[in-house]
Amino acid sequence: MGAVILLTSGVVALFVRPRSVALWVAPVVLAVIGLATTWVRWGDVHDSLRLLRNPLLFLLFAVPLAVLLDRIGVFGALAALVDGGRHLAAWLWVLAAAVTIVCNLDASVVLLTPLYIRIARRHGLAPEMLAFQPALLACLASSPLPVSNLTNLIIAERFHLGVGDFVRHLALPTLAACTIGWFAFRTVFHLHPTTDGIDEVAEARALQRGLPIIGFVLVGFTAGDVVGVPAWVIAAVAVVWAAALTRTVPWRAVPHEAMLVAAGLAVLVAGAVPHLHLAGVLHGGSGSAGSSGIGDGLRALLFGVVGSDIANNLPAVLAGSAALHDHAQVWPLLIGVNIGPVFVLSGALSGLLWRDTAASLDVHVTFRRYTSVGVRVGLPALLAAAFVVLAT
């Protein structure tokens, strides 16, 4: 049971810690303690870290790539294409969903949050309203591609799933979540500006330089999946391309903290899983094939939601995926761990990253406020996505 205590301590430390202590310290230190005391076995750790190798390599390049695209001016130019229209908030919602899907949710919250706050202030909109869009869509839109979320990459690595598998099973649930989420978002926030907007012209040069890189990434993720080229290799090539255009290497953008947290939690989860008996939680036992399948899918989805909100979606997906009874439960589990964090600010690392990014621009969101918005927007979206993924 020592491993369970270490995992519990590591998760609690993510939420309750002195501001001077980095987010990664507790998970990494506790993981070292677990290995030193043999509460965590080296064999289990090897398997867990093997699963994380390609996902972490992708994360290593994905966020710097997004930073380089921002330096080229791609996101600002795309926002300027829709800037100032009467459907501004709707188009920005679509843009945030697209960036989350293609560039990863962490890159989306880091880059779009400052951009959206700037647009809101320029157009007389509440900065908090547009700032919330990247945070909400980091949850609602982060399922349809392996690269959209670290949780997806972990599942893809564990079960040898490709782009086609994700699109086939999660594109429709994601579309349902984003669509219903938008209508819920409209009821929560006042979308009309209080002052006249200031239109800006999209910089054609930025689009000419940046869109080919985005096109390469999209084609590379799809074609690379077919021929066995990992997503991180495509991202690495795109980083080299973008770095050559900007003549800069964004070393500071490497998400080392998220990578260390993921590695530390993976070690702790590996030691705790044999003692958690999750197989019984995720499988209901007897019943007809149809009802048992839907019931097991619902259990996986609820485990993902509750596990993410109580602990964090990384330990939830690592522990849950190791105990799945049926591979068909993979898709409800992912909907749970990806959309579930919309209710709790600490449910995903991207939420904590978003809070700090918004606060640096004088937009302060408390845990309570995040949950208030997240429940009103995310609950209808989650129910819609859950219905689609379980029905299909």
Side-chain angles (χ1 to χ4, degrees):
M1 291 298 292
V4 176
I5 295 173
L6 288 176
L7 174 60
T8 303
S9 303
V11 169
V12 170
L14 292 178
F15 313 139
V16 183
R17 75 185 198 285
R19 287 188 174 272
S20 59
V21 177
L23 196 64
W24 61 268
V25 172
V28 171
V29 169
L30 291 170
V32 172
I33 292 173
L35 291 170
T37 58
T38 69
W39 286 343
V40 179
R41 297 184 302 175
W42 280 104
D44 294 333
V45 170
H46 178 269
D47 292 338
S48 293
L49 294 182
R50 178 184 56 81
L51 288 174
L52 276 180
R53 181 187 58 201
N54 283 349
L56 291 183
L57 283 171
F58 174 77
L59 198 58
L60 173 68
F61 294 106
V63 176
L65 172 60
V67 169
L68 287 169
L69 289 172
D70 186 55
R71 289 180 181 176
I72 290 172
V74 172
F75 299 127
L78 289 173
L81 289 176
V82 301
D83 206 350
R86 54 192 297 261
H87 300 297
L88 170 64
W91 283 114
L92 292 177
W93 182 270
V94 173
L95 176 60
V99 173
T100 298
I101 291 170
V102 176
C103 293
N104 183 274
L105 76 170
D106 295 316
S108 179
V109 298
V110 169
L111 296 173
L112 294 187
T113 302
L115 174 64
Y116 281 24
I117 290 173
R118 189 167 68 244
I119 290 174
R121 287 173 173 154
R122 193 167 63 241
H123 290 277
L125 293 164
E128 183 196 65
M129 179 195 72
L130 288 189
F132 254 108
Q133 286 199 355
L136 294 169
L137 287 161
C139 302
L140 305 186
S142 63
S143 297
L145 293 179
V147 298
S148 306
N149 199 323
L150 184 58
T151 56
N152 300 352
L153 289 165
I154 291 170
I155 289 289
E157 192 72 16
R158 184 184 290 277
F159 296 104
H160 308 290
L161 301 170
V163 171
D165 298 306
F166 276 80
V167 172
R168 187 164 59 252
H169 290 94
L170 295 181
L172 286 179
T174 300
L175 178 62
C178 292
T179 303
I180 299 301
W182 164 248
F183 287 108
F185 181 82
R186 289 180 60 184
T187 67
V188 174
F189 290 102
H190 177 71
L191 303 184
H192 302 294
T194 57
T195 62
D196 293 333
I198 304 171
D199 291 335
E200 290 191 358
V201 179
E203 187 181 344
R205 177 174 168 77
L207 294 176
Q208 291 169 0
R209 300 172 77 197
L211 289 183
I213 300 176
I214 295 176
F216 166 77
V217 167
L218 287 172
V219 173
F221 287 161
T222 305
D225 181 68
V226 174
V227 299
V229 178
W232 69 265
V233 174
I234 304 300
V237 173
V239 164
V240 173
W241 183 352
L245 292 178
T246 61
R247 297 181 181 179
T248 58
V249 180
W251 298 110
R252 294 179 181 274
V254 172
H256 65 278
E257 187 166 63
M259 296 171 69
L260 287 170
V261 169
L265 289 176
V267 172
L268 297 175
V269 169
V273 161
H275 306 285
L276 295 176
H277 308 295
L278 294 178
V281 175
L282 293 169
H283 178 48
S286 61
S288 65
S291 62
S292 176
I294 293 176
D296 286 351
L298 182 59
R299 286 182 185 86
L301 189 145
L302 291 175
F303 173 84
V305 173
V306 175
S308 296
D309 290 340
I310 291 178
N312 181 271
N313 65 351
L314 278 178
V317 77
L318 286 166
S321 61
L324 289 184
H325 168 73
D326 184 346
H327 285 188
Q329 292 177 290
V330 161
W331 313 113
L333 175 66
L334 278 176
I335 289 296
V337 298
N338 290 349
I339 299 182
V342 76
F343 303 129
V344 178
L345 186 58
S346 55
L349 295 179
S350 63
L352 299 173
L353 194 59
W354 171 78
R355 179 195 61 180
D356 293 343
T357 302
S360 69
L361 296 164
D362 205 28
V363 176
H364 301 279
V365 179
T366 64
F367 273 66
R368 183 174 180 178
R369 174 59 175 167
Y370 181 91
T371 296
S372 173
V373 173
V375 169
R376 287 183 285 169
V377 175
L379 183 57
L382 175 62
L383 292 175
F387 175 80
V388 174
V389 77
L390 293 174
T392 56

